[in-house]
């Protein structure tokens, strides 16, 4: 009996007030859908699409690992958090700069040491050349008198053989003195070019790349 009463109440026609309220809700729903459609047309996106795009946008650009690292180290670097990547990259850059500076200083020290060695060798060669030249000047062989050939041919040929040997030794001393002097001059030229290169580098460091670039362009 109660069920029949409930079914009767449910199937009973709605009152006028209820129908007005339902219609008002229907209009509100249509208005909400229209506003969503207008917003979507203005932005060119479906509702909720903007939030998805913002979530899909990438963050800050990834920090590149140090170039000198191998592939395994780069893979480990990419697994670090961004803040640690920044610190590691900065520290590695400092290390690279320090290494480059130490390498340049070592190379410069090596060039300076070589320049000093060249200067010492050049001075030694000059002294050696002067010594040989002095010996050659004091040791001047003399040809035997041709008149001795008529008087004592055997003695003449003996003196001639001695002369030729001494002349050969004298020529060798002269040649060696000239070679030593040439070696000294060559070392002086090398040191001169080294000094010019140092002056060029120092001037370039003071005036900047504009001077060195213009210099190279003019030389080219």
């Amino acid at each position: 009996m109660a069920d029949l009463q409930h079914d009767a109440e449910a199937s009973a026609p709605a009152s006028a007030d209820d129908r007005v309220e339902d219609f008002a809700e229907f209009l509100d729903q249509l208005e909400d859908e229209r506003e969503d459609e207008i917003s979507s047309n203005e932005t060119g996106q479906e509702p909720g699409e903007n939030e998805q795009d913002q979530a899909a946008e990438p963050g800050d650009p990834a920090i590149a690992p140090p170039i000198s690292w191998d592939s395994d180290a780069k893979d480990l670097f990419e697994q670090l958090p961004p803040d640690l990547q920044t610190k590691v990259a900065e520290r590695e850059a400092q290390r690279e700069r320090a290494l480059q500076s130490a390498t340049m200083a070592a190379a410069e020290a090596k060039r300076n040491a070589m320049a000093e060695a060249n200067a010492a060798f050049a001075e030694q060669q000059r002294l050696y050349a002067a010594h040989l030249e002095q010996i050659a000047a004091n040791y001047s062989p003399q040809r035997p008198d041709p008149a001795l050939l008529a008087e004592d041919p055997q003695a003449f040929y003996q003196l001639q053989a001695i002369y030729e040997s001494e002349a050969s030794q004298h020529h060798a001393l002269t040649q060696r003195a000239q070679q030593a002097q040439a070696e000294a001059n060559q070392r002086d030229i090398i040191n001169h070019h080294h000094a010019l290169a140092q002056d060029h580098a120092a001037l370039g460091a003071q005036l900047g790349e504009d001077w060195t670039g213009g210099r190279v362009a003019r030389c080219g």
Side-chain angles (χ1 to χ4, degrees):
M1 189 68 170
D3 294 338
L4 292 176
Q5 184 179 358
H6 180 270
D7 293 337
E9 292 176 356
S11 59
S15 64
D17 294 335
D18 293 338
R19 289 196 299 272
V20 171
E21 185 177 353
D22 292 340
F23 185 72
E25 292 178 358
F26 175 73
L27 291 178
D28 292 339
Q29 183 177 0
L30 289 179
E31 184 67 22
D32 293 339
E33 292 178 356
R34 183 172 178 273
E35 291 179 356
D36 291 341
E37 183 179 357
I38 294 174
S39 176
S40 175
N41 291 334
E42 290 178 351
T43 59
Q45 296 175 339
E46 294 296 331
E49 185 178 355
N50 187 38
E51 291 79 2
Q52 295 177 359
D53 291 344
Q54 291 179 354
E57 290 181 355
D60 296 334
I63 301 173
I67 299 177
S68 60
W69 285 16
D70 57 18
S71 58
D72 293 338
K74 290 180 180 180
D75 291 340
L76 293 176
F77 179 85
E78 293 176 355
Q79 298 176 11
L80 296 175
D83 55 343
L84 289 182
Q85 286 183 347
T86 301
K87 293 180 180 180
V88 171
E90 292 176 352
R91 183 65 184 88
E92 185 65 14
Q94 293 176 359
R95 189 190 69 82
E96 289 289 346
R97 288 192 295 269
L99 179 60
Q100 183 179 6
S101 177
T103 302
M104 293 177 61
E108 184 64 20
K110 183 178 180 180
R111 286 192 294 267
N112 291 335
M114 186 173 293
E116 294 178 359
N118 285 336
F121 181 79
E123 181 63 21
Q124 182 181 6
Q125 291 299 93
R126 276 191 291 269
L127 294 175
Y128 181 52
H131 179 65
L132 293 178
E133 289 172 354
Q134 184 178 2
I135 294 176
N138 295 332
Y139 180 67
S140 180
Q142 298 294 327
R143 289 180 177 273
D145 188 359
L148 183 61
L149 182 60
E151 299 177 1
D152 191 348
Q154 184 177 0
F156 174 81
Y157 287 118
Q158 288 178 349
L159 293 175
Q160 180 68 20
I162 294 173
Y163 165 75
E164 291 177 355
S165 177
E166 291 177 349
S168 178
Q169 294 177 4
H170 183 272
H171 179 73
L173 288 174
T174 303
Q175 289 292 106
R176 186 67 189 92
Q178 293 176 354
Q179 182 180 358
Q181 186 61 46
E183 290 175 351
N185 294 338
Q186 184 179 8
R187 298 303 176 94
D188 289 339
I189 292 174
I190 293 175
N191 279 358
H192 177 67
H193 284 295
H194 174 65
L196 288 179
Q198 285 184 319
D199 294 342
H200 183 272
L203 189 58
Q206 293 179 358
L207 300 181
E209 296 181 356
D210 294 339
W211 181 84
T212 55
R215 177 88 175 176
V216 172
R218 288 194 296 273
C219 292

